[in-house]
Amino acid sequence: MTAYDPDNIFAKILRGEIPAYKVYEDDDALAFMDVMPQSDGHTLILPKVPSRNILDADPDVVAKVIKVVQKVAKAAVNAFGADGATVMQFNEAPAGQTVFHLHFHVVPRYLGVPLRPHTGKMADAALLSGHADKLKAALAT
Ligand code: 5GP
């Protein structure tokens, strides 16, 4: 498998070199809003330890991050009044992965509302910031 590239966009967010609408952070994981959300509240959760995806990740790292995925999914459903949530995770480009640092998508779902495309448009900054505030508040309860 191709080696991990430390200059991928999520590695830069983890190092604080580029900004993100962060909603949760602990010793092992970081969660922030997806800038091209497939639904309102679309959030990404990643481990701090580098790996390209689930195929080269340490199982203990996956176990820690999945707990955060569950925490974010539950908070997002509450925060956005969603009817459910889709959890997605892609491994390598043929499987749909576009950023090569392991991450999980939590996509709140709303009855009768189809997902927007995976590579869509950048959302409005004020909208993302408002969604991040809502989710942070739900995660703090
Ligand atoms: P993948 O296809 O690798 O599973 O998904 C990568 C996700 O990262 C996409 O949903 C895309 O919208 C999101 N994304 C790409 N660049 C950035 C960025 O600079 N900041 C944030 N917050 N999300 C990004």
Side-chain angles (χ1 to χ4, degrees), residues 52-100:
R52 275 175 75 79
N53 52 48
I54 210 162
L55 301 174
D56 62 336
D58 179 329
D60 291 337
V61 169
V62 177
K64 280 179 184 157
V65 80
I66 203 73
K67 290 185 181 180
V68 180
V69 171
Q70 185 189 31
K71 192 192 287 282
V72 169
K74 289 166 83 168
V77 166
N78 284 335
F80 298 102
D83 300 300
T86 300
V87 174
M88 301 187 289
Q89 191 275 316
F90 305 104
N91 302 286
E92 298 300 324
Q97 187 176 9
T98 59
V99 179
F100 296 92

Side-chain angles (χ1 to χ4, degrees), residues 31-55:
F32 51 83
M33 307 314 293
D34 193 305
V35 284
M36 290 175 267
Q38 288 185 260
S39 79
D40 286 353
H42 184 167
T43 308
L44 301 170
I45 302 94
L46 42 145
K48 292 184 171 178
V49 170
S51 69
R52 275 175 75 79
N53 52 48
I54 210 162
L55 301 174

